[in-house]
Amino acid sequence: MTINARILGAAAGGGLPQWNCGCANCNAARAGEIPPQSQSSVAVSGNGRDWAILNASPDIRDQMAKCTAVHPTGLRQLPLKSVLVTNGDIDHVAGLLVLRESQPFTLFATAEIHDVLAANPIFDALRDDCVSRSRIALDQPFELVPDLTATLFAVPGKVPLYLEGDVVKTDLVGEQTVGVELIAGNKRAYYIPGCAHVPADLADRLRGADLVMFDGTLWSDNEMIRAGLSQKTGQRMGHISISGPDGSMTAMQDLNIKQKVYVHMNNSNPVIDPRSDQTRQAEQGGWTIGRDGMEIEI
Ligand code: MLT
Ligand code: MN
Ligand code: ZN
């Protein structure tokens, strides 16, 4: 058995270029010097026929148009059978509104994330008689699509930006931010686009995996402040950085993971420019920088 993954969108919320951003990376993408990247989403399959999309980005319409694996096979027959969202962030749920054309699919998420969607009537555009909303308990395996089993597990994170109160806890461990384990036969893959740090139990879970697609939002915690783009650190956004002693490269260097791929890169991250020194450093550290359209088979 094999697991197929297609990176539909490798960028974090905002994408590359971000509409209102004049940073060096966004300008380079506008000038055609580096490839634009769309917002965070991956399509996965365990048999090459039935596909699930992990996170529905606002770019999903264009992403699906570019991904032949999910094109219709009949008038309204689609290889896309299910959609799973790992948190309630806008970059991961806004694309659900694009999928409102009375096409049956199953929407998987934790109960907490389903409650966030249910509290917002605009998502009623996904009619109950078409889209079945399946509430998934943590650490309970379920069939994501035929021949591919998934399990959701809590990773440190925070509530979506639009639900933040006055006091924000950025490393909540519960149903608001999850990672996905994917199993087909003896193959084991992970998709974790948002994660505030790597606690020991997460490291143990990932040990020996065939593939890990992981939160590559920022290269360093204060890069957006240094670039004058924002007052926020990565930690404040609930995202671990790639580099440094507390970064994900260090946290995962000795876990014997066969293939490590960064996803969900912010446009401030130097690795979003394939020409950067940091891209080379990440590659020397055993990582691949995810890019739109990348196909991975394990
Ligand atoms: C994040 O990943 O931190 C969020 O997507 C940020 C946002 O909602 O803009
Ligand atoms: Mn995001
Ligand atoms: Zn930018």
Coordinates of all heavy atoms in Angstrom, one line a residue, residues 219-282:
W219 N 10.8 31.0 10.0 CA 12.2 30.5 10.2 C 12.7 30.8 11.6 O 13.2 30.0 12.3 CB 13.1 31.2 9.1 CG 14.6 30.8 9.3 CD1 15.6 31.6 9.9 CD2 15.2 29.6 8.9 NE1 16.7 30.9 9.8 CE2 16.6 29.7 9.3 CE3 14.7 28.4 8.3 CZ2 17.5 28.7 9.0 CZ3 15.6 27.4 8.1 CH2 17.0 27.5 8.4
S220 N 12.4 32.1 12.0 CA 12.8 32.5 13.4 C 11.6 33.2 14.0 O 10.9 33.9 13.4 CB 14.1 33.3 13.4 OG 14.0 34.4 12.5
D221 N 11.6 33.1 15.4 CA 10.4 33.6 16.1 C 10.1 35.0 15.9 O 8.9 35.4 15.9 CB 10.6 33.3 17.6 CG 9.4 33.3 18.4 OD1 8.4 32.7 18.0 OD2 9.4 34.0 19.5
N222 N 11.1 35.9 15.7 CA 10.8 37.3 15.7 C 11.0 37.9 14.2 O 11.1 39.1 14.1 CB 11.7 38.1 16.7 CG 13.1 37.9 16.4 OD1 13.5 37.2 15.4 ND2 14.0 38.6 17.1
E223 N 10.9 37.0 13.2 CA 11.2 37.5 11.9 C 10.2 38.6 11.4 O 10.6 39.5 10.7 CB 11.3 36.4 10.9 CG 10.0 35.8 10.4 CD 10.2 34.5 9.6 OE1 11.2 33.8 9.9 OE2 9.3 34.2 8.8
M224 N 9.0 38.5 11.8 CA 8.0 39.4 11.3 C 8.2 40.8 12.0 O 7.9 41.8 11.4 CB 6.6 38.9 11.6 CG 6.3 37.7 10.8 SD 4.6 37.4 10.4 CE 3.9 37.4 12.1
I225 N 8.6 40.8 13.3 CA 8.9 42.0 14.0 C 10.1 42.7 13.3 O 10.1 43.9 13.0 CB 9.1 41.8 15.5 CG1 7.9 41.1 16.1 CG2 9.5 43.0 16.2 CD1 8.0 40.7 17.5
R226 N 11.2 41.9 13.1 CA 12.4 42.5 12.5 C 12.2 43.0 11.1 O 12.7 44.0 10.8 CB 13.5 41.4 12.5 CG 14.3 41.3 13.8 CD 15.6 40.5 13.6 NE 15.2 39.1 13.5 CZ 15.4 38.3 12.4 NH1 15.9 38.8 11.4 NH2 15.0 37.0 12.5
A227 N 11.3 42.4 10.4 CA 11.0 42.9 9.0 C 10.0 44.1 9.0 O 9.7 44.6 8.0 CB 10.4 41.8 8.2
G228 N 9.5 44.4 10.2 CA 8.5 45.6 10.3 C 7.2 45.2 9.8 O 6.4 46.1 9.4
L229 N 6.8 43.9 9.8 CA 5.6 43.5 9.2 C 4.4 43.4 10.2 O 3.3 43.4 9.9 CB 5.7 42.1 8.5 CG 6.7 42.1 7.3 CD1 6.9 40.6 6.9 CD2 6.1 42.9 6.2
S230 N 4.8 43.1 11.5 CA 3.9 42.8 12.5 C 4.5 42.9 13.9 O 5.7 42.9 14.0 CB 3.4 41.3 12.3 OG 2.7 40.8 13.4
Q231 N 3.7 43.0 14.9 CA 4.2 43.0 16.3 C 4.3 41.6 16.9 O 4.6 41.4 18.0 CB 3.4 43.9 17.2 CG 3.5 45.4 16.8 CD 4.9 45.9 16.7 OE1 5.7 45.6 17.6 NE2 5.2 46.5 15.6
K232 N 3.9 40.6 16.1 CA 3.7 39.3 16.7 C 4.9 38.4 16.5 O 5.5 38.3 15.4 CB 2.5 38.6 16.0 CG 1.2 39.1 16.6 CD 0.1 38.2 16.1 CE -1.3 38.8 16.6 NZ -2.4 38.2 15.9
T233 N 5.2 37.6 17.5 CA 6.2 36.5 17.4 C 5.5 35.3 16.9 O 4.2 35.2 16.9 CB 6.8 36.2 18.7 OG1 5.8 35.7 19.6 CG2 7.6 37.4 19.3
G234 N 6.3 34.3 16.4 CA 5.7 33.0 16.1 C 5.0 32.4 17.3 O 3.9 31.8 17.1
Q235 N 5.6 32.5 18.4 CA 5.0 31.8 19.6 C 3.6 32.4 19.9 O 2.7 31.7 20.2 CB 5.9 32.0 20.8 CG 7.1 31.0 20.9 CD 6.6 29.6 20.9 OE1 5.8 29.1 21.7 NE2 7.0 28.8 19.9
R236 N 3.5 33.8 19.7 CA 2.2 34.4 19.9 C 1.2 33.9 19.0 O 0.0 33.9 19.2 CB 2.4 35.9 19.8 CG 1.1 36.7 19.9 CD 0.3 36.5 21.2 NE -0.9 37.2 21.2 CZ -2.0 36.8 20.5 NH1 -2.0 35.6 19.9 NH2 -3.1 37.5 20.6
M237 N 1.6 33.5 17.8 CA 0.7 32.9 16.8 C 0.4 31.4 16.9 O -0.3 30.8 16.2 CB 1.2 33.2 15.4 CG 1.3 34.7 15.0 SD 1.6 35.0 13.3 CE 3.1 34.0 13.0
G238 N 1.1 30.8 17.9 CA 1.0 29.4 18.1 C 1.8 28.6 17.1 O 1.4 27.4 16.8
H239 N 2.9 29.1 16.6 CA 3.7 28.4 15.7 C 5.2 28.3 16.1 O 5.8 29.3 16.4 CB 3.7 29.1 14.3 CG 2.4 29.0 13.6 ND1 1.8 27.9 13.2 CD2 1.5 30.0 13.3 CE1 0.6 28.1 12.6 NE2 0.4 29.4 12.7
I240 N 5.7 27.1 16.2 CA 7.1 26.9 16.5 C 7.9 27.4 15.3 O 7.4 27.5 14.2 CB 7.4 25.4 16.7 CG1 8.8 25.1 17.2 CG2 7.1 24.6 15.4 CD1 9.0 23.6 17.6
S241 N 9.1 27.8 15.5 CA 10.0 28.2 14.3 C 10.8 27.0 13.8 O 10.9 26.0 14.5 CB 10.9 29.3 14.8 OG 10.2 30.5 15.2
I242 N 11.3 27.2 12.6 CA 12.2 26.1 12.1 C 13.5 26.1 12.7 O 14.0 25.0 13.1 CB 12.3 26.3 10.5 CG1 11.0 26.2 9.8 CG2 13.4 25.4 10.0 CD1 11.0 26.4 8.3
S243 N 14.2 27.3 12.9 CA 15.6 27.3 13.3 C 15.7 27.5 14.8 O 14.8 27.7 15.5 CB 16.3 28.4 12.5 OG 15.8 29.7 13.0
G244 N 17.0 27.4 15.2 CA 17.3 27.7 16.6 C 17.2 26.5 17.5 O 16.6 25.4 17.1
P245 N 17.7 26.6 18.8 CA 17.7 25.5 19.7 C 16.2 25.0 20.1 O 16.0 23.9 20.4 CB 18.4 26.1 20.9 CG 18.5 27.5 20.8 CD 18.4 27.8 19.3
D246 N 15.3 25.9 20.0 CA 13.9 25.5 20.3 C 13.1 25.3 19.0 O 11.9 25.1 19.1 CB 13.2 26.7 21.1 CG 13.9 27.0 22.4 OD1 14.4 26.0 23.0 OD2 13.9 28.2 22.8
G247 N 13.7 25.2 17.9 CA 13.1 25.1 16.6 C 12.7 23.6 16.3 O 13.2 22.7 16.9
S248 N 12.0 23.5 15.2 CA 11.5 22.1 14.8 C 12.6 21.3 14.2 O 12.6 20.1 14.3 CB 10.3 22.2 13.9 OG 10.7 23.1 12.8
M249 N 13.6 21.9 13.5 CA 14.7 21.1 13.0 C 15.4 20.4 14.1 O 15.7 19.2 14.0 CB 15.7 22.0 12.2 CG 15.2 22.4 10.9 SD 16.5 22.4 9.6 CE 17.4 23.8 10.1
T250 N 15.7 21.1 15.2 CA 16.4 20.5 16.3 C 15.5 19.4 17.0 O 15.9 18.3 17.3 CB 16.8 21.6 17.4 OG1 17.7 22.5 16.7 CG2 17.5 21.0 18.6
A251 N 14.2 19.8 17.2 CA 13.3 18.9 17.9 C 13.1 17.6 17.1 O 12.9 16.5 17.8 CB 11.9 19.6 18.0
M252 N 13.3 17.6 15.8 CA 13.0 16.3 15.1 C 14.3 15.7 14.4 O 14.1 14.8 13.6 CB 12.0 16.6 14.0 CG 10.6 16.8 14.6 SD 9.4 16.9 13.3 CE 8.6 18.3 13.8
Q253 N 15.4 16.2 14.9 CA 16.6 15.7 14.1 C 17.0 14.2 14.4 O 17.6 13.6 13.6 CB 17.8 16.6 14.4 CG 18.4 16.6 15.8 CD 19.4 17.7 16.0 OE1 19.8 18.4 15.1 NE2 19.9 17.8 17.3
D254 N 16.6 13.7 15.6 CA 17.0 12.4 15.9 C 15.8 11.4 16.0 O 15.8 10.4 16.7 CB 17.7 12.4 17.3 CG 19.0 13.2 17.2 OD1 19.7 13.1 16.1 OD2 19.4 13.9 18.1
L255 N 14.8 11.7 15.2 CA 13.6 10.8 15.3 C 13.5 9.8 14.2 O 12.5 9.1 14.2 CB 12.3 11.7 15.3 CG 12.2 12.7 16.5 CD1 10.9 13.5 16.4 CD2 12.3 12.1 17.8
N256 N 14.5 9.7 13.4 CA 14.5 8.7 12.4 C 13.3 8.7 11.5 O 12.8 7.7 11.1 CB 14.6 7.3 13.1 CG 15.0 6.2 12.2 OD1 15.7 6.4 11.2 ND2 14.6 5.0 12.5
I257 N 12.9 9.9 11.1 CA 11.8 10.1 10.2 C 12.3 10.1 8.8 O 13.3 10.7 8.4 CB 11.1 11.5 10.5 CG1 10.5 11.5 11.9 CG2 10.0 11.7 9.4 CD1 10.2 12.9 12.4
K258 N 11.7 9.3 7.9 CA 12.3 9.0 6.6 C 12.2 10.2 5.7 O 13.1 10.5 4.9 CB 11.6 7.8 5.9 CG 11.9 6.5 6.7 CD 11.5 5.3 6.0 CE 11.7 4.1 6.9 NZ 10.8 4.0 8.1
Q259 N 11.1 10.9 5.7 CA 10.9 12.1 4.9 C 10.2 13.2 5.7 O 9.2 13.0 6.2 CB 10.0 11.7 3.7 CG 10.4 12.5 2.4 CD 9.6 12.0 1.2 OE1 9.2 10.9 1.1 NE2 9.4 12.9 0.2
K260 N 10.9 14.4 5.7 CA 10.4 15.5 6.5 C 10.2 16.7 5.5 O 11.1 17.1 4.8 CB 11.4 15.9 7.6 CG 11.6 14.8 8.6 CD 12.6 15.3 9.7 CE 14.0 15.2 9.3 NZ 14.9 15.3 10.5
V261 N 9.0 17.2 5.5 CA 8.6 18.3 4.6 C 7.9 19.4 5.3 O 6.9 19.2 6.1 CB 7.6 17.7 3.5 CG1 7.2 18.8 2.5 CG2 8.1 16.5 2.8
Y262 N 8.4 20.6 5.1 CA 7.7 21.8 5.7 C 6.6 22.2 4.9 O 6.6 22.3 3.7 CB 8.7 22.9 5.9 CG 9.6 22.8 7.1 CD1 11.0 22.7 7.0 CD2 9.0 22.6 8.4 CE1 11.8 22.6 8.1 CE2 9.8 22.5 9.5 CZ 11.2 22.4 9.4 OH 12.0 22.3 10.5
V263 N 5.5 22.6 5.6 CA 4.3 23.1 4.9 C 3.9 24.4 5.7 O 4.4 24.6 6.8 CB 3.1 22.1 4.9 CG1 3.5 21.0 3.9 CG2 2.8 21.6 6.3
H264 N 2.9 25.2 5.2 CA 2.3 26.3 5.9 C 3.4 27.4 6.2 O 3.6 27.9 7.3 CB 1.7 25.9 7.2 CG 0.8 26.9 7.9 ND1 1.3 27.9 8.7 CD2 -0.5 27.1 7.8 CE1 0.3 28.6 9.2 NE2 -0.8 28.2 8.6
M265 N 4.2 27.7 5.1 CA 5.2 28.8 5.3 C 4.6 30.1 5.1 O 3.9 30.4 4.2 CB 6.3 28.6 4.2 CG 7.5 27.7 4.6 SD 7.0 26.0 4.6 CE 6.7 25.7 2.9
N266 N 4.9 31.0 6.1 CA 4.5 32.4 6.0 C 5.4 33.1 4.9 O 6.5 32.7 4.7 CB 4.7 33.1 7.3 CG 3.9 34.4 7.3 OD1 2.8 34.5 7.0 ND2 4.6 35.5 7.7
N267 N 4.8 34.2 4.3 CA 5.6 34.9 3.2 C 6.8 35.6 3.8 O 7.7 36.0 3.0 CB 4.7 35.8 2.4 CG 3.9 36.7 3.3 OD1 4.5 37.6 3.9 ND2 2.6 36.6 3.4
S268 N 6.9 35.8 5.1 CA 8.1 36.4 5.7 C 9.2 35.4 5.8 O 10.4 35.7 6.1 CB 7.7 36.9 7.1 OG 7.3 35.9 7.9
N269 N 8.9 34.1 5.7 CA 9.9 33.0 5.9 C 10.9 33.0 4.7 O 10.5 32.8 3.6 CB 9.2 31.7 6.1 CG 10.1 30.6 6.6 OD1 11.3 30.6 6.3 ND2 9.6 29.6 7.3
P270 N 12.2 33.1 5.0 CA 13.2 33.1 3.9 C 13.1 31.8 3.1 O 13.5 31.8 1.9 CB 14.5 33.3 4.6 CG 14.3 33.2 6.1 CD 12.8 33.4 6.3
V271 N 12.7 30.7 3.7 CA 12.7 29.4 2.9 C 11.6 29.4 1.8 O 11.6 28.5 0.9 CB 12.5 28.1 3.8 CG1 13.6 28.1 4.9 CG2 11.1 28.1 4.4
I272 N 10.7 30.4 1.8 CA 9.7 30.4 0.8 C 10.4 30.9 -0.5 O 9.8 30.7 -1.6 CB 8.5 31.3 1.2 CG1 7.2 30.8 0.5 CG2 8.7 32.8 0.9 CD1 5.9 31.3 1.2
D273 N 11.6 31.4 -0.4 CA 12.4 31.7 -1.6 C 13.4 30.6 -1.8 O 14.3 30.4 -1.0 CB 13.2 33.0 -1.3 CG 14.0 33.5 -2.5 OD1 14.3 32.6 -3.4 OD2 14.4 34.6 -2.6
P274 N 13.2 29.8 -2.9 CA 14.0 28.7 -3.1 C 15.5 29.0 -3.3 O 16.4 28.1 -3.1 CB 13.5 28.1 -4.5 CG 12.2 28.7 -4.7 CD 12.2 30.0 -4.0
R275 N 15.8 30.3 -3.5 CA 17.2 30.7 -3.7 C 17.9 31.0 -2.4 O 19.1 31.3 -2.4 CB 17.3 31.9 -4.6 CG 16.5 31.8 -5.9 CD 16.3 33.2 -6.5 NE 15.6 34.1 -5.7 CZ 15.2 35.3 -6.0 NH1 15.5 35.8 -7.3 NH2 14.6 36.1 -5.2
S276 N 17.2 31.0 -1.3 CA 17.8 31.5 0.0 C 18.7 30.5 0.7 O 18.7 29.3 0.5 CB 16.6 31.8 1.0 OG 16.0 30.6 1.4
D277 N 19.7 31.1 1.5 CA 20.6 30.3 2.3 C 19.8 29.4 3.2 O 20.2 28.2 3.5 CB 21.5 31.2 3.1 CG 22.5 31.8 2.2 OD1 22.7 31.4 1.1 OD2 23.1 32.8 2.7
Q278 N 18.7 29.9 3.8 CA 17.9 29.2 4.7 C 17.3 27.9 4.1 O 17.1 26.9 4.7 CB 16.9 30.1 5.4 CG 17.4 31.1 6.3 CD 17.8 32.4 5.6 OE1 18.0 32.5 4.3 NE2 18.1 33.4 6.3
T279 N 16.9 28.0 2.8 CA 16.4 26.9 2.1 C 17.5 25.8 2.1 O 17.2 24.6 2.4 CB 16.0 27.2 0.7 OG1 14.9 28.1 0.7 CG2 15.5 26.0 -0.1
R280 N 18.7 26.2 1.8 CA 19.8 25.2 1.8 C 20.1 24.6 3.1 O 20.3 23.5 3.3 CB 21.1 25.9 1.2 CG 21.3 25.5 -0.3 CD 22.6 26.0 -0.8 NE 22.8 27.5 -0.5 CZ 22.2 28.4 -1.2 NH1 21.4 28.1 -2.2 NH2 22.4 29.7 -0.9
Q281 N 20.0 25.5 4.2 CA 20.2 25.0 5.5 C 19.2 24.0 5.9 O 19.5 23.0 6.6 CB 20.2 26.2 6.5 CG 21.4 27.1 6.5 CD 21.2 28.2 7.5 OE1 20.8 28.0 8.7 NE2 21.5 29.4 7.0
A282 N 17.9 24.3 5.6 CA 16.8 23.3 5.9 C 17.1 22.0 5.2 O 16.9 20.9 5.7 CB 15.5 23.9 5.6

